[in-house]
Amino acid sequence: MSAVAARVPVLEARGLVKHYGVVTALDGADFDLYPGEILALIGDNGAGKSTLIKALSGAIVPDRGEIFLNGTPVHFRNPLEARRNGIETVYQDLALAPALDIAENLFLGRELRRRDIIGIVLRVTDRPRMLREARAHIADLKINVGSMKQSVETLSGGQRQGVAVARAAAFASRVVIMDEPTAALGVRESGMVLDLIREVRARGTPVVLISHNMPQVFEIADRLHVMRLGRRVATITPASHSMTEAVALMTGAASSQGPTKG
Amino acid sequence: MLARLRWTEFGRDPGAAIARARLISTLGPLIALLLASIFFSIRTDRFLTTENLSLITQQVAVVGVLAIGQTLIILTAGVDLSCGAVMAFGTIVMTKLAVTHGVNPFLAIALGIGVCLGFGVLNGLLVTVLRLPPFIVTLGTLNIAFALTHITSNEETIANLPDPVVFFGNTFRFAGTTITYGSVLAVALTLITWFVLTKTVGGRHVYATGNNPDAARLAGVRTRRVLLAVYATAGLLYGIAALVLVGRTGVGDPQAGQSANLDSITAVVVGGTSLFGGRGSVLGTLVGTLIVGIFRNGLQLLGVAAIYQFLITGVLVILAVAVDQLSRRRQA
Ligand SMILES: Nc1ncnc2c1ncn2[C@@H]1O[C@H](COP(=O)(O)OP(=O)(O)OP(=O)(O)O)[C@@H](O)[C@H]1O
Ligand SMILES: [Mg+2]
C-alpha cells in the first residue's frame, strides 16, 4: 500500500466539526480516500459515521473543518453540488421513487431529452435512449432485473439496492458513498451488493462503505477507517489487524497507535 | 429462492400483486363507466339519446377542466379544496368587469383568469415557502375566495354578458349531436396535460415529487419549484374553468360552483389517481369526470331527488379511496 500513500487522496477532510445542539457529532474528524480503493467506515452507533459522510456528500454543512477534492478545497452547500463534482451517494433508505420505473429512477433529476426541436423547446424526454442506457448501466454491474420499465416497488430488496448502486455508479465520476447498503438484506442479496461494490471499484471508482458487519467489511475493504466519538481513531487494513482488534479500537478498549499509515 | 418460486407459481409475489392493483386502478374506472351507462340505458329511455349525451358533455365540461388542475395537485400528494370557490370568484371578476365596469371583454377575461392564477400562486407559495399542509392552506383560500365572491358581487347575478365572454357556451353539430366549445376545450386541455405529464421532464418531476419528495430532492429535482408550478397551473386551469362556466350558464352567478370542489376531487379519485401522490393519470380523471356526470344525469332522469345525488357521490368517493388505500396496503 505504499504506492497508495504516496498519491493525493481523491477526497480528503481535515478537522471536521459538527454540533447538533449540545451533541458533538463530529469532533475534529479527518478523512482520506485514495484512488481505486474500497474504504470501510466502522464505529459504534453514534460514532459519527453518517454525519461524516453527510458532510462529504453535501447533505450537511460542517461547522468547522475543510474538505478537499483532488487536493482542491471544496464547500458543498447541498447534495446537488457534490453530485455535480462527481460524488454520488447511496443513502440508507435508497432514495428511490417506488412508483417510477427503473429507467426513470436511474435518470431522475438528469433526464435525457430529445435532441430535436421538441426536446429543446418542450423539454420532451428521450425515453428510448434512457431505456437503452439504463439497460447498459444495469448490465454493466451484472444486476439481474427483467425490464427497465418495471416499477421499483416490484423489485426485491437486493434488486432495489442494485438500482440505487447502479445510479450512483453510472454518474459518479470520482466517488461512490454507501451508507449501510446491506443492512436490510439477506445473505444472498448482501453477496450481490458486495459484488456490485467490487464491480464499481474494478471500473476505477473508489468506494466509501459504512457497515456494522465485520466479516463483510474484512472481506471487501482495502482499508478501514475507525471512528469513535466523532473522530477518526485509527486507519487499519484487514491484513494489519484482526476483527477483535478492530472492535477493540471502535469501543475504546484498545487505544490507537496514533495516525497510522495507509 | 424456493419460497420465491412457489410464490410466483401461486401468483402471490409482490410484483404480480402490484401489477394487479395497477390494472384495477386503470381498468376499474372504465368498467364502472360502462356499467353505469348500461344501467341507466336499461332503466331509462332517455339516457341513450343524442340530446341527453350532448347534455352530459355540456354538464361535465366545467368539472372536467377543474379536475385537471385537481389531478396535478393530488399527484403531488396534495389536495385543493379551494378550486370551486376560486373559479366562482373568477366568473364574478370577469363578468362584473365586462358588464358593470365596461372593460374590454378580452381584458376582463384575462383579468378573471389572472385572479384565479393569483390564487394558485398564493396556494403554492403557502405550501412551498411556509411549508403549510395543502389541506389547511386551501381550506383558508376556499373561504377567502368564497367571501370575495359574495362581497364583490353584492349577491347579484350579472347578466347581459358580451359575446366573447360566453364564447365557450356556443355549440356546433357533430355526428348528429350538439357539442359546446367548452367540452372540446376540456378534452383538449386533458390531452395537453397528459402529454406534459407523461412525456416531458417537468411532468415526470411532478410524479417523482409526489411519490417520494425526499428522493426527488436528493436526486436534484427542485421539488419546491415543481410544487409551485403545479399550484400555479392549477389556478390557471380554474380560471379557464370559470370561462367555460360563464359560457354554459350565460351569467356571472355568485352561487355557482359550490359542489364543484368535491366533484373535482371525486372525479380525480374515481378516475384512479392516488391521494397518496405519484400515481394516476389525467386520462383517468376524464373518465372519472364522466362517471360523476353520468351518475348525476342518470339519477336525475330516474327522478331521484337531488339530495340523493350528493349521497351517491359521497359513497363513490369513499369507495374509490378505499380501493386505492387497500391496493397500497397490499404492497407494503
Ligand atoms: N439531525 C441530528 N440532530 C441531532 N443529533 C444528531 C443528528 N444527527 C446525528 N445526531 C447525533 O450525532 C451523533 C452521531 O450520529 P451519526 O448518525 O453520525 O452516528 P453513526 O455513527 O452513523 O451511528 P449509527 O451506526 O447508529 O448509524 C449521535 O449522537 C446522534 O445522536
Ligand atoms: Mg448511521
Side-chain angles (χ1 to χ4, degrees):
Chain A
M1 285 278 160
S2 57
V4 166
R7 277 182 281 175
V8 180
V10 182
L11 193 58
E12 180 183 351
R14 288 289 169 267
L16 294 184
V17 176
K18 179 69 186 177
H19 298 285
Y20 288 111
V22 294
V23 180
T24 304
L26 292 180
D27 187 14
D30 295 336
F31 176 88
D32 297 277
L33 176 72
Y34 289 97
E37 71 172 350
I38 296 175
L39 176 72
L41 233 60
I42 60 171
D44 246 342
N45 293 117
K49 306 180 294 295
S50 296
T51 310
L52 174 60
I53 65 131
K54 281 180 189 159
L56 296 174
S57 66
I60 62 161
V61 178
D63 301 334
R64 245 184 296 139
E66 290 172 295
I67 300 173
F68 304 89
L69 190 60
N70 290 327
T72 315
V74 285
H75 305 275
F76 302 134
R77 282 167 302 171
N78 55 55
L80 199 57
E81 290 187 1
R83 292 180 76 183
R84 291 214 172 106
N85 280 284
I87 300 172
E88 288 284 329
T89 308
V90 179
Y91 297 92
Q92 189 160 3
D93 64 359
L94 300 187
L96 298 171
L100 302 192
D101 66 27
I102 297 175
E104 288 185 311
N105 268 287
L106 278 184
F107 287 97
L108 185 56
R110 40 199 157 195
E111 290 79 2
L112 303 177
R113 285 192 250 158
R114 289 171 56 138
R115 280 174 260 201
D116 53 13
I117 187 79
I118 71 165
I120 294 160
V121 177
L122 300 178
R123 311 211 317 144
V124 170
T125 59
D126 190 343
R127 177 91 169 137
R129 191 150 61 98
M130 285 197 280
L131 285 172
R132 216 163 44 235
E133 292 194 12
R135 209 170 294 127
H137 289 312
I138 293 283
D140 218 16
L141 294 173
K142 306 180 176 74
I143 299 165
N144 184 20
V145 292
S147 159
M148 293 305 112
K149 296 179 185 170
Q150 229 178 319
S151 69
V152 162
E153 66 201 343
T154 65
L155 301 175
S156 73
Q159 288 172 321
R160 283 180 210 202
Q161 195 78 50
V163 172
V165 174
R167 176 169 70 180
F171 295 99
S173 54
R174 295 207 169 104
V175 178
V176 172
I177 299 174
M178 301 196 219
D179 196 348
E180 305 203 28
T182 59
L185 300 181
V187 176
R188 196 178 72 94
E189 298 196 313
S190 294
M192 273 172 46
V193 171
L194 293 188
D195 287 343
L196 283 181
I197 294 171
R198 290 198 189 90
E199 204 62 51
V200 172
R201 175 182 58 183
R203 296 178 9 181
T205 311
V207 179
V208 182
L209 169 73
I210 296 183
S211 177
H212 284 286
N213 185 327
M214 282 303 137
Q216 222 173 59
V217 160
F218 270 74
E219 178 193 332
I220 195 169
D222 297 309
R223 291 191 310 134
L224 288 74
H225 164 136
V226 187
M227 285 201 82
R228 201 171 105 71
L229 303 176
R231 291 166 189 260
R232 177 171 72 182
V233 292
T235 311
I236 61 178
T237 71
S240 70
H241 288 66
S242 69
M243 277 187 226
T244 322
E245 288 166 336
V247 172
L249 285 170
M250 278 167 54
T251 57
S255 64
S256 62
Q257 310 91 330
T260 45
K261 55 183 169 28
Chain B
M1 265 305 259
L2 200 61
R4 170 155 303 126
L5 281 177
R6 215 176 282 140
W7 272 34
T8 319
E9 271 171 35
F10 289 98
R12 267 203 270 118
D13 76 310
I18 290 160
R20 208 163 39 237
R22 280 236 165 133
L23 203 64
I24 291 171
S25 73
T26 346
L27 281 185
L30 273 176
I31 293 170
L33 180 65
L34 201 67
L35 290 180
S37 305
I38 292 173
F39 176 78
F40 289 120
S41 307
I42 294 171
R43 293 299 303 272
T44 75
D45 297 333
R46 285 199 33 222
F47 181 79
L48 213 58
T49 58
T50 50
E51 299 90 78
N52 189 53
L53 294 182
S54 157
L55 180 66
I56 292 175
T57 63
Q58 293 173 33
Q59 285 171 337
V60 299
V62 173
V63 171
V65 176
L66 279 183
I68 300 170
Q70 188 71 257
T71 306
L72 292 174
I73 289 174
I74 289 182
L75 278 177
T76 65
V79 70
D80 191 346
L81 304 178
S82 73
C83 63
V86 169
M87 170 183 72
F89 186 49
T91 65
I92 295 303
V93 169
M94 56 180 80
T95 55
K96 189 149 174 123
L97 284 176
V99 176
T100 318
H101 300 281
V103 172
N104 174 303
F106 292 102
L107 182 60
I109 290 171
L111 290 172
I113 293 178
V115 163
C116 295
L117 174 64
F119 264 96
V121 171
L122 176 65
N123 283 336
L125 287 176
L126 291 171
V127 168
T128 55
V129 177
L130 295 187
R131 297 169 193 262
L132 303 178
F135 184 88
I136 298 301
V137 166
T138 58
L139 191 60
T141 47
L142 158 69
N143 284 282
I144 294 168
F146 180 80
L148 288 177
T149 302
H150 290 267
I151 293 166
T152 51
S153 68
N154 284 325
E155 311 286 347
E156 283 161 10
T157 300
I158 301 148
N160 303 319
L161 305 179
D163 282 345
V165 179
V166 293
F167 168 79
F168 284 105
N170 292 344
T171 60
F172 64 96
R173 304 277 304 167
F174 178 76
T177 341
T178 308
I179 295 177
T180 61
Y181 290 110
S183 308
V184 176
L185 183 66
V187 172
L189 288 172
T190 300
L191 292 178
I192 291 169
T193 308
W194 172 81
F195 178 83
V196 171
L197 280 176
T198 55
K199 307 286 179 208
T200 71
V201 173
R204 299 323 293 164
H205 287 180
V206 171
Y207 279 87
T209 302
N211 188 223
N212 188 345
D214 292 330
R217 192 174 33 78
L218 289 171
V221 175
R222 276 173 279 214
T223 52
R224 291 215 257 169
R225 197 191 277 190
V226 170
L227 284 178
L228 188 57
V230 159
Y231 281 88
T233 309
L236 181 67
L237 285 161
Y238 305 155
I240 297 172
L243 187 60
V244 175
L245 175 62
V246 172
R248 172 157 166 66
T249 58
V251 292
D253 175 6
Q255 308 297 333
Q258 293 195 348
S259 68
N261 285 324
L262 195 60
D263 276 1
S264 72
I265 297 173
T266 309
V268 175
V269 291
V270 167
T273 294
S274 170
L275 282 175
F276 303 96
R279 297 159 214 266
S281 157
V282 74
L283 296 183
T285 297
L286 183 61
V287 176
T289 305
L290 286 172
I291 292 175
V292 173
I294 280 175
F295 264 94
R296 282 262 152 97
N297 172 275
L299 293 172
Q300 222 162 3
L301 291 182
L302 284 176
V304 175
I307 200 69
Y308 286 95
Q309 297 172 25
F310 278 93
L311 194 145
I312 302 228
T313 313
V315 172
L316 261 185
V317 71
I318 291 174
L319 200 69
V321 173
V323 168
D324 177 34
Q325 169 79 298
L326 289 178
S327 66
R328 288 293 90 74
R329 201 176 294 158
R330 183 111 54 92
Q331 289 163 27

